[in-house]
Amino acid sequence: MAQYYRIKYLKEVEELSQREIAKKLGISRNTVSKYLKEDQPPTTINRQVVYGTKQHSDETKRVLPIIDQWIEDDLKRWGKQKHTAVRIYERLVNEYEFKGSASNVRKIVAKRRKKLQEVFIPLEFQLGQQFQFDWGEADIILQGRTRRVYLFCIQLSASRVRFVRAYLHEKQEAFLDGFVHAFEFFGGVPTEGLYDNLKTAVIKILQGRDRLEQEAFLALQAHYLFKSEFCNVRSGNEKGRVEGTVGYIRRNAFVPLPEVRSLDELNDFLKEWCLEEAQRRMVPHKKETVAQMWEKEKTYLHPLPEQRFEACRLVSCLVNKTSLVTIDTNHYSVPCQYVGQTVWVKIFVDQVIVVAQNDVIAKHVRSYEKNELFTSLDHYLDALLKKPRAIRDAHAFHTSEIPDVFKRFHRKMREQEGAIGDRKFIRLLLLHREIGLEKLTEALIESEKTQVFRYEVVHEMIHRLTNNTYQIQNLSTEKTPTSLLDYKIQKANVAQYGLLTGGEK
């Protein structure tokens, strides 16, 4: 445009010839002649019309259908494994003996991809209709060490309120547990959820959008009465609400890295963060905050059921000869009478519960370390009655859960009575089933003060602590004897014994 203006000015105002104008501006006379013949200035639209009409060479036209086919095929593939323009050029040269230039192919590929670019439609979701879910990852500092955690991210599509909870893995129990906490946070259950084709929910992808779903996931839907919808394969953009949420949470809630002592502390922080975000953020194209819209949406959500869903992974295990079941390389004890039997194990995020014949037979805190052993002394007491000497080295007896007074008392009983002391001590341990570990510990501490380490002393102490009728009552002064001579003891009659035995000695 500037050149057009200068040429017109020099010609019309200064009345210079075309040769003089070309010499003064340092351009060709043909260019000067072309601009002087035009009645309109060369606007952007006019330039596109003039310069955009260039036709491709016959060599380029030959490979255009091939380029288009490769680009269309890429739309159906994983986004990280598509053709680059350079790769397209290399294939054309190697496979189709293309003689054109690489720069020309790059321009063609860029234009073709613009034409084939997917169009997205703005969506408006009904209140209470849908939620979207996805997993994310982030680093934290847990007990002074950097640790990767997995983020359960869920968002109500209408009000856009978010909920996030951190786990140490993405296994099925974490997947189910996340929904239990999410629905309680939302205050109800939406009609449907949108998911990727993750293995914790889907066993097999069928035709179209049909899926063969995991039994535990179907149980979750039956409990909370919602239905599931799944994205097309490699089409995570279909749940655009939560896709953006994952990155937003990582950049805002986890920068700088949170320093926490436990996952419970982290999840409390994330819950407060979600509430604050709801108060602060506005719903796009609305004049309401997320929190205000959320309050409206709560009235459209289905009510929560009376009982919480049991968010666990159920597996069958064989109890081995040492009365242990193995879960994720770790070993947990069960009562010894179940050795050799098959039991069900409910694996929760935070605990392991063992069930046999519909009865809970063992509970343990779940460990996420490797090859650890967790035993309960009560599970082995029946076996220890038959093998009392084993109490000296039993793993369950030397855990931190057993108070030190038990170990001191056992050591004294063994010193005084040897193997019999082991047997009597196990009888003492069995008393906790009647009075509880706390009362038994108290009785041992009181008995230790007397420095008499015998079963009978502890048993008497338990009666004093648990039953007032066994406490010693002081006699009144008038009933108290002044001398032991006042006690009369009847001597045994040997003749009566002879009558019982028929007179035989």
Side-chain angles (χ1 to χ4, degrees):
M1 180 65 74
Q3 193 175 58
Y4 174 81
Y5 161 74
R6 287 196 292 268
I7 292 173
K8 284 286 188 180
Y9 183 85
L10 292 174
K11 179 64 177 177
E12 301 295 336
V13 178
E14 297 187 9
E15 298 181 347
L16 298 180
S17 66
Q18 291 186 18
R19 184 185 298 276
E20 290 172 330
I21 293 172
K23 185 177 181 180
K24 187 171 185 176
L25 297 179
I27 59 178
S28 69
R29 281 194 302 167
N30 292 335
T31 302
V32 175
S33 176
K34 182 185 71 172
Y35 278 120
L36 289 175
K37 290 177 182 178
E38 292 181 359
D39 295 330
Q40 294 181 347
T43 61
T44 302
I45 295 176
N46 289 335
R47 289 199 300 272
Q48 287 178 347
V49 171
V50 173
Y51 297 108
T53 56
K54 181 180 179 181
Q55 297 295 319
H56 295 297
S57 65
D58 292 338
E59 179 67 3
T60 302
K61 289 180 181 178
R62 180 174 69 88
V63 297
L64 281 179
I66 301 170
I67 295 175
D68 289 342
Q69 185 62 50
W70 288 348
I71 294 175
E72 288 181 9
D73 291 343
D74 280 348
L75 294 176
K76 304 173 185 177
R77 295 193 180 97
W78 186 31
K80 296 181 180 181
Q81 205 167 340
K82 294 182 178 180
H83 283 89
T84 63
V86 174
R87 180 57 183 154
I88 288 176
Y89 173 73
E90 291 174 349
R91 287 192 64 186
L92 291 174
V93 172
N94 296 331
E95 300 175 25
Y96 296 93
E97 298 181 354
F98 179 63
K99 305 299 182 183
S101 66
S103 61
N104 190 33
V105 171
R106 287 198 297 270
K107 293 176 184 177
I108 293 171
V109 169
K111 289 180 180 179
R112 285 305 203 259
R113 279 182 173 157
K114 272 190 177 180
K115 291 182 180 179
L116 294 173
Q117 191 171 8
E118 186 176 358
V119 177
F120 299 100
I121 302 172
L123 302 176
E124 184 71 23
F125 294 95
Q126 296 179 2
L127 293 173
Q129 177 64 25
Q130 187 196 76
F131 67 83
Q132 297 181 8
F133 161 79
D134 200 5
W135 281 108
E137 296 180 15
D139 287 340
I140 64 170
I141 299 176
L142 180 62
Q143 298 179 354
R145 296 170 55 190
T146 302
R147 184 76 182 261
R148 177 68 51 87
V149 293
Y150 299 88
L151 307 178
F152 179 98
C153 302
I154 186 171
Q155 183 173 8
L156 295 183
S157 299
S159 64
R160 302 189 185 229
V161 62
R162 296 162 170 157
F163 175 76
V164 58
R165 188 172 177 83
Y167 295 94
L168 294 176
H169 54 76
E170 297 176 329
K171 295 180 180 179
Q172 191 176 67
E173 56 268 31
F175 176 67
L176 300 175
D177 185 75
F179 284 107
V180 173
H181 286 90
F183 292 150
E184 291 175 356
F185 175 82
F186 291 146
V189 185
T191 303
E192 65 179 30
L194 186 60
Y195 308 83
D196 283 328
N197 299 282
L198 59 169
K199 292 182 179 180
T200 49
V202 175
I203 298 175
K204 186 178 181 181
I205 298 174
L206 305 176
Q207 188 174 6
R209 290 184 180 268
D210 293 335
R211 303 291 186 269
L212 180 61
E213 299 176 43
Q214 293 279 3
E215 184 176 348
F217 184 52
L218 289 172
L220 177 78
Q221 295 177 63
H223 188 84
Y224 288 106
L225 299 178
F226 70 94
K227 64 179 181 179
S228 58
E229 293 287 339
F230 296 93
C231 298
N232 287 312
V233 179
R234 293 183 293 274
S235 299
N237 57 280
E238 293 181 3
K239 49 181 180 57
R241 288 276 197 274
V242 77
E243 286 288 332
T245 292
V246 173
Y248 181 86
I249 291 170
R250 185 164 44 234
R251 292 188 299 270
N252 292 273
F254 289 85
V255 177
L257 270 63
E259 298 186 30
V260 295
R261 294 183 298 273
S262 66
L263 275 189
D264 288 337
E265 182 183 344
L266 175 63
N267 286 324
D268 289 341
F269 160 74
L270 291 175
K271 184 177 180 180
E272 289 301 317
W273 182 84
C274 291
L275 292 171
E276 291 173 4
E277 283 285 297
Q279 294 288 345
R280 185 182 62 82
R281 291 175 54 249
M282 302 294 294
V283 178
H285 314 298
K286 304 283 184 181
K287 295 182 179 179
E288 296 175 294
T289 64
V290 170
Q292 291 170 337
M293 196 77 168
W294 180 21
E295 284 300 318
K296 291 182 179 179
E297 188 162 23
K298 285 181 181 179
T299 61
Y300 291 85
L301 299 175
H302 301 300
L304 293 169
E306 294 182 1
Q307 294 183 346
R308 245 189 175 198
F309 180 74
E310 201 171 43
C312 65
R313 176 163 49 102
L314 189 63
V315 297
S316 175
C317 292
L318 179 67
V319 182
N320 65 17
K321 292 182 179 180
T322 52
S323 199
L324 299 170
V325 293
T326 303
I327 304 295
D328 297 334
T329 77
N330 292 319
H331 308 282
Y332 302 90
S333 68
V334 300
C336 58
Q337 61 265 34
Y338 292 95
V339 168
Q341 298 186 30
T342 299
V343 295
W344 288 103
V345 182
K346 296 179 178 180
I347 307 172
F348 292 82
V349 169
D350 55 352
Q351 63 178 338
V352 172
I353 297 179
V354 186
V355 179
Q357 290 84 43
N358 295 324
D359 293 327
V360 175
I361 61 174
K363 288 185 180 182
H364 293 276
V365 175
R366 184 177 178 182
S367 171
Y368 287 99
E369 301 300 327
K370 297 293 183 182
N371 301 309
E372 290 194 328
L373 176 62
F374 300 91
T375 56
S376 172
L377 183 58
D378 182 66
H379 294 162
Y380 296 94
L381 289 181
D382 294 328
L384 286 171
L385 281 173
K386 301 175 182 178
K387 301 178 180 180
R389 192 180 184 282
I391 187 64
R392 304 178 185 184
D393 304 306
H395 177 274
F397 184 59
H398 294 284
T399 62
S400 58
E401 296 180 1
I402 304 300
D404 290 337
V405 65
F406 282 77
K407 299 165 188 176
R408 295 195 301 268
F409 213 92
H410 171 248
R411 187 165 53 250
K412 290 294 184 179
M413 290 183 70
R414 192 178 71 231
E415 290 175 357
Q416 294 178 5
E417 301 183 77
I420 296 176
D422 290 333
R423 190 179 301 277
K424 289 184 176 180
F425 181 73
I426 294 167
R427 288 175 58 200
L428 277 179
L429 293 177
L430 284 168
L431 293 175
H432 91 279
R433 294 179 177 176
E434 300 176 15
I435 64 172
L437 185 63
E438 184 178 347
K439 282 291 182 183
L440 180 56
T441 303
E442 187 179 353
L444 288 177
I445 292 173
E446 292 299 319
S447 300
E448 189 179 38
K449 293 177 182 178
T450 67
Q451 290 298 302
V452 180
F453 301 93
R454 298 183 66 85
Y455 173 85
E456 295 77 13
V457 174
V458 178
H459 199 269
E460 176 62 26
M461 194 63 67
I462 289 172
H463 282 305
R464 293 185 183 183
L465 294 172
T466 59
N467 192 338
N468 291 331
T469 59
Y470 284 88
Q471 292 183 354
I472 299 175
Q473 303 292 332
N474 292 326
L475 294 175
S476 59
T477 305
E478 58 273 12
K479 292 184 179 181
T480 303
T482 57
S483 173
L484 290 176
L485 295 176
D486 295 333
Y487 286 95
K488 305 296 183 183
I489 302 175
Q490 186 176 0
K491 294 183 180 181
N493 189 344
V494 181
Q496 292 179 348
Y497 177 77
L499 292 174
L500 292 172
T501 57
E504 297 181 1
K505 294 183 180 181

